Amino acid sequence: MSVTLNDSKPKLSLAEIINMSVGFFGIQFGWDLQRANMGRIYENLGANPDQVPLLFLAAPLTGLLVQPVIGYLSDKTWHPRWGRRRPYFMIGALISSIALLFMPHSSALWMAAGLLWVLDVFGNVAMEPFRAFVTDKLPDSQVNRGFIMQSFMIGLGGSIASALPWLMKNMFHFQNTAVPGEIPENVKWSFYLGAFFFLAAVLYTVFTSKEYPPQDLGYREKVKESHKGFGGGFREIMQALATMPPRMRIISLVQFFTWPGLFLMWFYYTTAVAVNVFGGRDASDPVYAAGADFGSLTLAFYSVVTFLFALVLPAIADRLGRKATHALCLLAGALGLISVAWVTDKYMLYVCMTGVGIAWASILSMPYAMLSGVLPKDKVGIYMGIFNFFIVLPEIIASLGFGWLMRNVLNNDRLLAVQMGGGLMIVAAVICFWFVKEDKERLKVEVRSV
């Protein structure tokens, strides 16, 4: 099937780019709440550190299937009022928000893991089409700006979400400790607010943004012909996987080594701060609780760095090129993660998280910008889903294998796990700089046309 979308897309105003990106604020609000707090929730419910990666397993396994399928389906969708991508934004946000409301009422590990699975599945339903949404709506000269605006919204949402447990304790005086098997009050209220912001932000984008109709007048008939059942869709996804553009293969490898560093940080950073930096014992210890809250606050700081750095990232990318910019940002993130072990004063953690925030701004935008122009216009959703394979696969590998490493090699030292993530980011930076090929003349044309 070949669908011709509007290739002479007009440039959008800054307000229009903001409107189409606000939904990512809500999506990231939900992601960062669970990333900053799930390790803590699991340990409150009785999990050992070596069990935490396995408890994250169901979500990425499902995401491996959900992401390309949602990309495939959104490529095939068109409704005169709701468009192509927006129905998926709305359905995913609604169910994810319900999961966020129920998460802090988990009474057992299986319940928390099950709700995390629901949150990840429908978070992916909402998020996956957003990457294609940028490519659908923006001309190539504005693609950098579109993905950078998403990075800005992600940083803003993540900074507020990660800081919420600390704010709930220190400004609204909710308790941050709980007896074993219970979730602290400050975490509960953080998740309630997260549910509201997730849904409200996505609905804002749904109702303030429009999508371009296909130029091809025979599109509806071709969509009907393409409904070949599960087998036809599976064959199309496999064919796209086998025929990935060469640049996409290398950037996918960069992603494969980048994301384990992030997963290990999200698995262990807040509890590493609580135990290794503050000296806490377990979830019922006030010292541990204060350390975990402070760890979440420093995660909020890296998100602040992300949305501030996103303001200057386009100018850096225009000057240095996308691959050099991304490699340097990854090195900054690696240094940030590795240097956590050198911290002697808790406030030095803000310096460490500055490097992570710089890397995160680039991770959220540069790989997708580097893909711009190499993906078939009628299969952007499928290819974006396949691209996310290389985010999900490292999480599956970490979930399956890292528990053994924690028990038998790292002696359940959470801080060493965070440092290993930094080492993997260095590998990703080297691959990006030496093996990604850029068309420098084309980039110059794009910069001049902005």
Side-chain angles (χ1 to χ4, degrees):
M1 169 184 171
S2 176
V3 179
T4 304
L5 299 182
N6 191 344
D7 287 324
S8 56
K9 292 171 282 192
K11 287 187 177 181
L12 300 189
S13 68
L14 178 61
E16 289 172 315
I17 295 175
I18 290 172
N19 286 345
M20 63 183 282
S21 304
V22 165
F24 237 121
F25 168 87
I27 292 172
Q28 196 63 30
F29 209 104
W31 285 127
D32 271 55
L33 267 180
Q34 59 106 342
R35 285 166 175 167
N37 293 287
M38 283 311 300
R40 180 180 185 180
I41 288 173
Y42 283 148
E43 292 197 15
N44 273 48
L45 295 174
N48 295 320
D50 58 88
Q51 293 176 304
V52 169
L54 198 58
L55 290 167
F56 279 88
L57 179 61
L61 279 175
T62 308
L64 195 64
L65 299 174
V66 168
Q67 291 169 352
V69 169
I70 293 299
Y72 170 80
L73 291 175
S74 68
D75 281 343
K76 309 296 183 186
T77 298
W78 178 256
H79 187 276
R81 180 177 180 185
W82 299 109
R84 172 174 289 109
R85 317 293 180 183
R86 288 177 295 148
Y88 300 92
F89 302 164
M90 190 158 51
I91 294 168
L94 179 61
I95 299 178
S96 295
S97 297
I98 292 170
L100 284 169
L101 285 174
F102 280 96
M103 180 68 78
H105 295 282
S106 300
S107 57
L109 285 172
W110 67 265
M111 183 176 178
L115 285 168
L116 179 63
W117 173 76
V118 173
L119 180 58
D120 265 25
V121 168
F122 287 95
N124 276 310
V125 171
M127 182 186 71
E128 173 55 37
F130 253 104
R131 300 296 189 187
F133 193 49
V134 170
T135 306
D136 289 347
K137 286 182 65 69
L138 293 177
D140 208 39
S141 63
Q142 287 190 306
V143 165
N144 268 8
R145 271 64 183 168
F147 285 122
I148 293 299
M149 183 57 70
Q150 284 191 357
S151 296
F152 183 90
M153 290 295 176
I154 287 169
L156 183 61
S159 62
I160 299 171
S162 297
L164 272 181
W166 186 91
L167 293 171
M168 292 293 106
K169 171 64 172 67
N170 291 277
M171 295 187 66
F172 299 99
H173 309 296
F174 288 103
Q175 288 296 315
N176 66 345
T177 58
V179 299
E182 297 287 337
I183 309 300
E185 286 295 315
N186 66 329
V187 175
K188 285 184 178 180
W189 281 93
S190 297
F191 274 79
Y192 300 155
L193 286 172
F196 168 77
F197 281 117
F198 196 140
L199 185 59
V202 170
L203 290 180
Y204 179 87
T205 287
V206 167
F207 290 113
T208 61
S209 298
K210 303 297 182 185
E211 297 185 70
Y212 299 129
Q215 282 187 325
D216 187 343
L217 298 179
Y219 175 77
R220 289 188 179 183
E221 287 68 28
K222 292 180 180 180
V223 167
K224 291 177 182 178
E225 291 173 8
S226 73
H227 291 166
K228 307 164 189 171
F230 177 81
F234 178 78
R235 285 191 297 273
E236 190 165 343
I237 292 169
M238 290 299 102
Q239 182 183 17
L241 182 62
T243 57
M244 278 195 296
R247 189 191 302 174
M248 181 177 172
R249 293 178 186 274
I250 300 300
I251 300 171
S252 296
L253 190 61
V254 174
Q255 296 286 79
F256 185 83
F257 283 99
T258 297
W259 280 82
L262 297 169
F263 290 130
L264 292 175
M265 179 183 71
W266 292 323
F267 288 170
Y268 292 116
Y269 174 76
T270 53
T271 53
V273 171
V275 174
N276 296 74
V277 177
F278 277 67
R281 295 189 308 275
D282 55 41
S284 62
D285 180 3
V287 175
Y288 177 101
D293 285 347
F294 191 82
S296 294
L297 188 63
T298 58
L299 288 178
F301 180 75
Y302 96 65
S303 294
V304 172
V305 172
T306 293
F307 77 75
L308 292 176
F309 189 70
L311 298 175
V312 300
L313 188 56
I316 296 171
D318 288 346
R319 180 174 294 274
L320 299 181
R322 293 167 183 171
K323 73 167 188 175
T325 299
H326 191 50
L328 288 172
C329 291
L330 289 176
L331 289 175
L335 181 60
L337 291 178
I338 292 169
S339 64
V340 173
W342 309 335
V343 167
T344 56
D345 182 309
K346 66 180 183 180
Y347 295 106
M348 291 172 63
L349 291 169
Y350 288 112
V351 179
C352 301
M353 290 298 105
T354 298
V356 175
I358 290 170
W360 188 225
S362 186
I363 290 165
L364 294 170
S365 55
M366 285 298 105
Y368 301 94
M370 284 188 283
L371 285 179
S372 175
V374 303
L375 302 180
K377 295 295 185 184
D378 60 327
K379 295 184 178 180
V380 171
I382 292 179
Y383 275 108
M384 286 296 183
I386 291 171
F387 191 55
N388 282 333
F389 275 174
F390 300 94
I391 295 174
V392 174
L393 281 172
E395 186 177 4
I396 292 172
I397 293 169
S399 297
L400 287 173
F402 209 80
W404 182 90
L405 282 175
M406 284 292 286
R407 286 191 305 273
N408 298 287
V409 179
L410 303 182
N411 195 30
N412 275 336
D413 189 327
R414 302 163 180 85
L415 198 52
L416 284 176
V418 173
Q419 286 188 293
M420 284 188 65
L424 291 170
M425 273 197 186
I426 292 174
V427 175
V430 171
I431 294 171
C432 181
F433 186 77
W434 288 109
F435 295 102
V436 174
K437 304 298 182 186
E438 282 186 329
D439 186 342
K440 294 184 179 179
E441 290 304 315
R442 178 174 170 270
L443 288 174
K444 288 178 183 177
V445 171
E446 286 179 17
V447 172
R448 286 196 298 269
S449 65
V450 173

